[in-house]
């Protein structure tokens, strides 16, 4: 039986990671946070003081370190750099500020797309990102485009940073979210867009569980369980 693949795309702060994790738990699938893969590259660049606008320098830092991924005990993706688990460090603001620029480099996207497809070939997965249904897994069993109003996405991201001990103003976070949207949508390689066969879900006024219920129902309707 072919692996079940659920692609959840959408802009920053839409709740993709939270929803994808819950869907994976409900359906007993592996959760693959593709954003964590790009954040691993951004984290390396931040640690090494690399100019993220230079694709050559970004490639060089990738060549100089061993980035690997494994399934954690909770069936989520764990990120290791030179054998050290750095998963908990990947959502710091200084890393987030670099992700869009790093992710726009064609060679970086090509490499990470290969890693993501390899995971989906070996496991039944719930995978979230910005180009999963359009580029990484164009034949996914179920595709969802999860979004929310910019102000709500900014509020969620601000609360996430507060839980990690970072103090960020809501007004600044709204601008950050909008700028991230612009970069992700305008990049030449694999821009953020909704796949033609994806189901759009606006989570602005919905609970996480109600969104999860919708996606689980989509999977059940696809007769894969």
């Amino acid at each position: 039986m072919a692996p079940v693949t659920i692609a959840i795309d959408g802009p920053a702060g839409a709740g993709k990671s939270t929803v994808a994790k819950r869907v994976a738990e409900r359906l007993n699938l592996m959760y693959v946070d593709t954003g964590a893969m790009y954040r691993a590259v951004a984290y390396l660049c931040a640690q090494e003081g690399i100019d993220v606008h230079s694709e050559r320098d970004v490639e060089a830092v990738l060549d100089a370190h061993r980035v690997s991924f494994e399934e954690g005990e909770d069936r989520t993706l764990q990120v290791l750099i030179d054998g050290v688990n750095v998963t908990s460090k990947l959502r710091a603001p200084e890393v987030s500020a670099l992700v869009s620029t790093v992710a726009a480099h064609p060679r970086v996207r090509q490499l990470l797309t290969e890693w993501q497809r390899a995971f989906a070939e070996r496991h039944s997965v719930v995978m979230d990102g910005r180009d999963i249904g359009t580029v990484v897994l164009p034949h996914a069993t179920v595709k969802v485009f999860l979004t929310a109003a910019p102000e709500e996405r900014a509020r969620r991201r601000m609360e996430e940073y507060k839980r990690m001990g970072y103090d960020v103003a809501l007004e600044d976070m709204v601008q950050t979210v909008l700028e991230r949207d612009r970069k992700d949508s305008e990049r030449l390689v694999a821009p953020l867009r909704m796949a033609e066969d994806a189901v759009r879900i606006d989570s602005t006024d919905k609970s996480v569980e109600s969104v999860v219920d919708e996606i689980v129902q989509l999977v059940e309707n696809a007769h894969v369980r």
Side-chain angles (χ1 to χ4, degrees):
M1 183 183 227
V4 175
T5 51
I6 302 172
I8 302 179
D9 289 310
K16 299 186 299 297
S17 297
T18 300
V19 167
K21 287 177 186 175
R22 299 281 183 87
V23 170
E25 291 170 359
R26 287 269 294 272
L27 299 177
N28 194 29
L29 306 178
M30 182 179 175
Y31 166 58
V32 178
D33 176 7
T34 63
M37 294 182 170
Y38 288 99
R39 285 175 178 275
V41 181
Y43 173 82
L44 262 177
C45 291
Q47 292 294 106
E48 299 282 328
I50 298 299
D51 176 8
V52 294
H53 294 90
S54 169
E55 185 171 11
R56 183 177 62 181
D57 290 351
V58 173
E59 289 181 14
V61 79
L62 272 174
D63 289 339
H65 295 272
R66 181 169 60 88
V67 181
S68 58
F69 309 94
E70 61 183 33
E71 183 178 353
E73 293 182 0
D74 57 354
R75 301 208 70 183
T76 61
L77 189 77
Q78 299 297 299
V79 180
L80 288 78
I81 296 179
D82 298 328
V84 178
N85 192 322
V86 297
T87 308
S88 64
K89 301 178 181 179
L90 300 181
R91 292 195 171 273
E94 60 268 25
V95 175
S96 298
L98 304 179
V99 175
S100 287
T101 303
V102 165
H105 294 312
R107 177 59 187 136
V108 172
R109 297 205 71 84
Q110 179 185 352
L111 176 62
L112 269 63
T113 294
E114 291 171 0
W115 290 344
Q116 292 154 15
R117 285 177 178 160
F119 260 92
E121 288 173 359
R122 299 194 305 270
H123 306 275
S124 287
V125 300
V126 180
M127 191 175 287
D128 73 309
R130 286 169 175 73
D131 63 345
I132 310 304
T134 54
V135 176
V136 180
L137 302 176
H139 304 296
T141 309
V142 168
K143 299 180 186 179
V144 171
F145 190 85
L146 184 63
T147 189
E151 294 77 13
E152 174 63 14
R153 292 191 281 122
R155 185 192 66 76
R156 293 173 184 174
R157 188 53 58 88
M158 183 183 70
E159 291 299 322
E160 179 183 343
Y161 282 158
K162 283 184 176 180
R163 288 193 295 272
M164 294 188 295
Y166 299 102
D167 187 18
V168 182
L170 180 59
E171 296 80 7
D172 293 339
M173 188 53 63
V174 170
Q175 293 305 311
T176 298
V177 164
L178 292 174
E179 178 63 13
R180 180 72 188 272
D181 289 352
R182 185 191 65 77
K183 287 182 177 180
D184 288 344
S185 299
E186 294 179 358
R187 69 185 179 215
L188 297 179
V189 180
L192 169 67
R193 63 181 178 83
M194 179 175 165
E196 292 183 1
D197 53 347
V199 176
R200 180 186 177 90
I201 298 178
D202 189 323
S203 67
T204 302
D205 298 314
K206 295 179 179 179
S207 68
V208 170
E209 287 308 313
S210 67
V211 174
V212 171
D213 287 342
E214 284 188 58
I215 297 175
V216 169
Q217 187 62 55
L218 289 172
V219 177
E220 292 175 347
N221 290 346
H223 305 293
V224 297
R225 297 192 62 78

